[in-house]
Amino acid sequence: MGRPRTPLLDRERITQAVVELVDEQGEFSVPQIARRLGVQTGSLYHHVDGRDGIVELLRERVAQAIDSTTLDVHPWDAALAAWARSYRAAFAAHPRAIPLLMTNPVRAPRVLEQYERAVTLLLDAGFPTAEVMPVIIALENMVLGSALDLAAPETMWEIADDAATPRLAEALAALGDNRTDRSFDLALEGFLAHARHTLESLQGRGQRT
């Protein structure tokens, strides 16, 4: 029998299979990927470095949708805001991947390169090295929480008796549409205001010394 014109297995096919499995069930196993691709489980290990390697393929695929050119925007706070919105949209497309990716260290070179650009942005803006990662981690916490919220049911509070929680019922009735986007805008605005204040305070201290 001749060799197939299209290879049965490559990193792109493995990536697509794991994305599909995680989108469907929030998890994957190596045998599940093999079955989906119609190959032996051992064949996968010729292309990836075990389960951790597959997780990094998933991370690269999800992060591929983040527009890293947003980090070239000026000033720095506008760049962070644009990056946060793109980051949120990318992960909101695959919300079930978030818990899985958060339990594995980031190793994918293309993803690390994006972090390098974010770190450079903040250093160039004047943030001390020790303050850079707390800013990035805080931004990520907000972005990923909001990405999960986008996948949540529109109605997250079910009140059987308005009389038992009248103020909550009133507040929910006044909430209106786009609660997730409005909440994200509020959180992002507060985060950036705090980051600006922190930078100004640090720079002020530096000028006085």
Side-chain angles (χ1 to χ4, degrees):
M1 183 180 295
R3 298 170 71 89
R5 290 178 180 272
T6 304
L8 290 176
L9 204 55
D10 57 30
R11 289 170 68 86
E12 178 60 29
R13 285 182 171 80
I14 295 170
T15 301
Q16 186 57 37
V18 71
V19 168
E20 291 171 359
L21 284 167
V22 171
D23 283 348
E24 291 166 11
Q25 61 191 32
E27 187 46 275
F28 74 91
S29 69
V30 178
Q32 283 178 323
I33 294 173
R35 285 195 297 272
R36 180 156 295 212
L37 295 173
V39 299
Q40 296 296 316
T41 300
S43 300
L44 294 174
Y45 296 110
H46 296 297
H47 301 271
V48 293
D49 183 18
R51 179 182 170 87
D52 287 347
I54 295 173
V55 170
E56 288 309 288
L57 290 180
L58 173 64
R59 191 189 307 279
E60 283 194 334
R61 171 63 66 83
V62 175
Q64 194 174 50
I66 303 173
D67 182 5
S68 61
T69 65
T70 54
L71 293 168
D72 298 326
V73 172
H74 294 284
W76 67 270
D77 51 351
L80 271 193
W83 188 52
R85 294 185 188 285
S86 182
Y87 195 144
R88 175 180 179 247
F91 277 80
H94 304 282
R96 289 187 165 189
I98 294 173
L100 181 62
L101 295 176
M102 293 306 99
T103 58
N104 272 58
V106 180
R107 299 187 181 94
R110 281 184 289 185
V111 179
L112 290 171
E113 181 184 351
Q114 196 161 147
Y115 281 102
E116 176 75 6
R117 293 180 69 172
V119 168
T120 301
L121 170 74
L122 294 175
L123 289 174
D124 289 349
F127 283 89
T129 304
E131 299 296 327
V132 167
M133 289 312 298
V135 171
I136 291 175
I137 293 167
L139 181 66
E140 281 194 313
N141 288 345
M142 179 184 62
V143 165
L144 295 175
S146 183
L148 285 172
D149 192 28
L150 280 169
E154 185 60 31
T155 303
M156 282 299 297
W157 297 265
E158 294 185 355
I159 301 175
D161 180 8
D162 287 3
T165 53
R167 291 186 173 179
L168 174 59
E170 182 181 4
L172 290 173
L175 182 58
D177 297 328
N178 300 321
R179 67 167 178 83
T180 303
D181 289 338
R182 289 167 56 203
S183 300
F184 177 70
D185 289 342
L186 175 63
L188 182 58
E189 180 182 341
F191 166 82
L192 290 173
H194 179 77
R196 290 186 204 103
H197 176 72
T198 298
L199 180 57
E200 290 167 3
S201 297
L202 290 168
Q203 290 175 334
R205 254 183 266 162
Q207 290 172 357
R208 291 194 296 271
T209 56

